[in-house]
Every structure is written in C-alpha cells, then in structure tokens.
Amino acid sequence: MTEHAQSRRARKAGIAAFVGTTIEWYDFYVYATAASLVFGRIFFPEGTDRLTGIAAAFATYAVGFFARPLGGVVFGHIGDRFGRRSALVITLTMMGAATFLVGLLPTYAGIGVFAPLLLVLLRFVQGIAVGGEWGGAVLMAVEHAPEDKKTFYGGFAQLGNPAGALLSTGLFSLLSTFGDDALEEWAWRVPFLLSAVLIVIGILIRLKIEESPVFEAEPEPDGGLPLTYALKTNWKPILLGIGTLPIAVGGYYLVTTFITAYATDPAVGLSETVVLNALSVAAVVELIATLGVAWLGDKVGRVRVVVWGLAAVAVLAAPQFLVVSSDSTVLIFLVFAAMRLVMAATYGPVAAVLAQMFGPQARYTSISVTYQVAGALFGGLSPVVSTLMFQATGSIVPVIVLLVAMCALSIACLLRAPQHTDDPAPAESPGPAASVGKASGPE
C-alpha cells in the first residue's frame, strides 16, 4: 500500500472512531450527568436524603462499569475472530437502544421499585456496549495508522470522550435554564431520546470503513479462544495496563461526575448552571487539546507525555475541589479548564499506549479486558466511594488524597509497561529497533 493510500485510510478510520466514540460516550455521560442532578430524586423513594439519593444513583451508574469487562470479553472475541468493524456496529446499536429506553422509563412515583430495577438493567446493557466499543474504536484508528503517527490517530478515538461530555453537559446546561422543576419532570429525558438520531448517523459512518489491516493479517490466537490466549500470554501487560489507568478512567469521573454532586451540595452551594457551564468549557478545552498532546506523543514519546499529565493532575487535585467554594466564577472556570487540559495529556496518548502494549494476536480482547476492568475498578467505584467519603467525613480532603494516590499508581505502572510495534522498524524509539510483535521499552 502506498503512503498516500495508508494516510487516507488512517484519516477515514480516525474520523469514524471519533464519531462513534463521541456517540457512545455521549450516551454514557448523559446517564452520569442525570445521576448527579435528578436520578436520586426521581428513581428512589421520596424522603431519601440528598447525599444518600446521589450515592444510590451513582451505584446504578457503577453497574455500567461492572458490566464493561463482560462487554470487553464478548466483543473482544467478536473483534478478534470476525473483525473490528462488525463488533463496533453491534456495540453502537446496543448503546443507542438502551439510552433511548432510559428516556422512556417511568419514575419511582409511577411504578415504584421497578423504576430503579429497569434503570439498572438498561445501565447494564450500556456497560456491555461501551465495554466492547472503546477497544475496537482505538484499534481501528491505531492499526490503520503508520508507526510514526499511531499516537496521533489513536487520539481521534480519545476525542470522543470530551466531545461526548461536551454534548451531554452542554445539553443539560441548556435544559437547566428551564428550572429545577422542569428538569426533574421532563427535561432530563430529552438527551436520552436524542440519542436515537445520533446512533443512525454513527452506524452509517461505520459501515463505510474498511477493516483493520492488522486484523486481516494477524494469525489465529494459539490455544483456541482469544480470551484464553490473552490471559495466558498477556497477563503481565494486562495487569500493568490496569494499573496505568486509574486517572484516565477513574480520576476523570472524580473531576466531572463527582464534582458536579459535590459543588451543588448545599454545604458548598454552587448553582447547577455554573457547574455545568464550567464543565462544558472544560470539555471544549480538552477537545481542542487532545489531538495536540497525541501529536506531541509521536514527537517526544507517548509514555513521557502521559507521565507529565499525571504529575500535573496531582498538582491540580486540591485546587480543583477547593475552588468551588470560592466566590469567583472566573477562577472556577479557569481551574476546571486547566484540569481538563492536563487530563487530555493523560488520556489522549493512552489509546496508542494501550494498543501497543500487546502483540497483534488477541489484541482486541487484551486491550478491552485491560481498559474495562480498570473502568470497573476505578471508574465505577470512584464516584460512589468519593460520595461516601465526603458524606462520612464532611471533608473533601480524603477525595483529594485519593486522586493524588491514583496519579502515583498510574505513573509507577506506566513506566514498566512494554510497547510493541506493528511495522518492522519503529519510527520513534531512540533505542534498538523492536521487531514486529516484540516489546520495546516504554517510550
């Protein structure tokens, strides 16, 4: 294949990854935002105190994360056996159907205990879908790209996260202008119902993308099932990958989902509109920065860029939470934006970092299990644990300490993680060339 043809395929795959992951993460985030703002009041018994209701809503939110590893295994198998594209069309359809149905659910006042039960069921389906989505989207982008541009094109898949968050928080911010009563009675349903339109667009785009060249060339995994091969051969990089991701998948929700509930707590007293607007501006900053830090990862080393980002997150951990008690809206916007800027450095390059931790065999399964187990542990539990810690202590300090500790764990594991190449000659490693399917040191 000519260099021009490869670049064209890489661009198409990158754009498709961006559109698909934007829709998937939008669907995932509308649930998270609604859980922060209204689900505690409308899906649980009347009279439940505010923080208990939020914790219960976050518990249903966490169900999606615990379902994600199963989705990673199921769609990792499909992606490794039948192709990345087939798996991605199914995940997008599942996610869209589940999100749309949440928008139609009766509340606790209407059907009692069946309301939260149905909410949990649909959240579980969302988790299965997103569990298979991320790994496939990343691999389609990274595997179509030349070796010296893998981090940049992998960043297109990562763009979907801030773009989906922007769509979600921006839409909820707009709907919040109708007032709390309208938001609780009907407006919260609008973002869920709109997902039906986005899903149709995403599926049409995905059906036009060519299959990954690495999948077309890779041999069948030894030992039968892709999961068997992944656990037998890739167990060490899987563990290191899980340890690399606390901030990318868990810290992220602390500075978006949890902080929404914390800042709007009566003890802090920040308005929902200010929080949502600040998060929307921060999402724009991350959206703009993500490809920039991914490009930088190809120039100076993707591992190095992620480590810089993690160190900066640790530095900003205290200001991020303390600033919401200030009287300065401008300062709140600035600190929120600064945090998401450095978060972009921990998230943008990590697509290529994780993809290249594994050789081609059973790569979809390996990267999906890694990312989704980390999501269940750190993403699913961090908002619930943080809410309970704040409720028990009345202080935000334990949450700040937790965020800093997650940064330290991420750095320690990242510096030990291997990196593979798909081409015979690596383009960015200053050390000896690593052969195809062999691991070089961290970049």
Side-chain angles (χ1 to χ4, degrees):
M1 183 187 301
T2 66
E3 182 178 347
H4 174 73
Q6 186 177 24
S7 295
R8 181 178 58 82
R9 287 183 63 171
R11 283 194 299 272
K12 288 177 62 178
I15 292 170
F18 165 60
V19 173
T21 53
T22 296
I23 296 168
E24 291 270 5
W25 285 118
Y26 165 82
D27 287 347
F28 214 65
Y29 278 130
V30 293
Y31 190 105
T33 307
S36 303
L37 298 176
V38 297
F39 279 3
R41 298 193 297 271
I42 65 176
F43 281 106
F44 296 94
E46 185 177 354
T48 303
D49 71 82
R50 183 180 183 277
L51 281 177
T52 300
I54 289 173
F58 279 162
T60 67
Y61 165 77
V63 167
F65 283 92
F66 295 130
R68 282 165 60 169
L70 177 59
V73 171
V74 171
F75 288 103
H77 179 89
I78 294 172
D80 281 324
R81 286 293 195 213
F82 306 106
R84 314 330 191 186
R85 189 176 67 169
S86 299
L88 290 174
V89 169
I90 300 171
T91 62
L92 198 58
T93 304
M94 283 181 61
M95 175 63 89
T99 305
F100 182 78
L101 289 174
V102 170
L104 298 178
L105 278 182
T107 64
Y108 191 93
I111 60 172
V113 71
F114 290 104
L117 290 177
L118 289 172
L119 189 66
V120 167
L121 175 62
L122 292 174
R123 183 59 175 177
F124 187 81
V125 175
Q126 276 193 326
I128 294 287
V130 84
E133 161 70 22
W134 186 85
V138 163
L139 294 187
M140 284 292 275
V142 172
E143 291 178 347
H144 274 93
E147 199 67 37
D148 61 342
K149 295 181 180 177
K150 286 188 179 295
T151 311
F152 176 71
Y153 281 109
F156 277 85
Q158 303 300 76
L159 279 176
N161 195 306
L166 176 60
L167 286 174
S168 172
T169 56
L171 187 53
F172 268 102
S173 179
L174 177 64
L175 292 169
S176 71
T177 61
F178 290 97
D180 290 346
D181 289 342
L183 190 64
E184 186 171 327
E185 290 172 6
W186 61 269
W188 70 268
R189 297 182 185 274
V190 174
F192 291 90
L193 299 177
L194 283 178
S195 68
V197 178
L198 298 177
I199 294 299
V200 172
I201 296 171
I203 290 175
L204 291 176
I205 291 174
R206 283 202 162 153
L207 289 174
K208 295 180 180 180
I209 301 302
E210 299 171 77
E211 184 55 81
S212 160
V214 174
F215 168 75
E216 292 175 337
E218 80 177 62
E220 290 288 325
D222 296 330
L225 296 174
L227 179 62
T228 302
Y229 182 91
L231 296 179
K232 180 180 178 181
T233 305
N234 293 336
W235 65 269
K236 185 175 181 180
I238 285 174
L239 291 178
L240 288 171
I242 292 170
T244 292
L245 291 170
I247 291 298
V249 302
Y252 190 90
Y253 295 105
L254 288 181
V255 302
T256 55
T257 303
F258 170 75
I259 206 168
T260 302
Y262 168 68
T264 56
D265 186 84
V268 179
L270 202 60
S271 76
E272 293 176 353
T273 301
V274 170
V275 176
L276 290 170
N277 286 343
L279 288 173
S280 296
V281 170
V284 172
V285 171
E286 184 179 359
L287 184 64
I288 294 171
T290 296
L291 281 185
V293 294
W295 172 86
L296 186 63
D298 282 323
K299 300 301 179 183
V300 303
R302 47 186 172 253
V303 170
R304 185 175 292 118
V305 171
V306 177
V307 169
W308 291 345
L310 290 166
V313 170
V315 170
L316 288 174
Q320 169 76 24
F321 289 101
L322 297 179
V323 74
V324 299
S325 299
S326 73
D327 295 326
S328 174
T329 301
V330 172
L331 187 60
I332 291 171
F333 274 62
L334 287 175
V335 174
F336 274 43
M339 176 59 89
R340 293 291 281 279
L341 176 63
V342 298
M343 278 281 186
T346 73
Y347 193 71
V350 87
V353 170
L354 282 187
Q356 300 312 114
M357 281 188 188
F358 309 102
Q361 289 183 305
R363 179 180 278 172
Y364 197 141
T365 299
S366 298
I367 189 176
S368 295
V369 168
T370 299
Y371 191 85
Q372 306 310 339
V373 169
L377 290 175
F378 303 114
L381 293 178
S382 58
V384 179
V385 170
S386 299
T387 301
L388 295 176
M389 288 168 63
F390 176 63
Q391 185 179 32
T393 65
S395 171
I396 198 61
V397 173
V399 180
I400 295 171
V401 172
L402 175 64
L403 187 58
V404 174
M406 291 162 70
C407 290
L409 175 61
S410 296
I411 292 173
C413 292
L414 182 60
L415 293 176
R416 295 179 59 85
Q419 290 288 279
H420 292 258
T421 59
D422 292 333
D423 294 342
E428 62 173 296
S429 175
S435 60
V436 179
K438 299 294 185 180
S440 61
E443 297 172 335

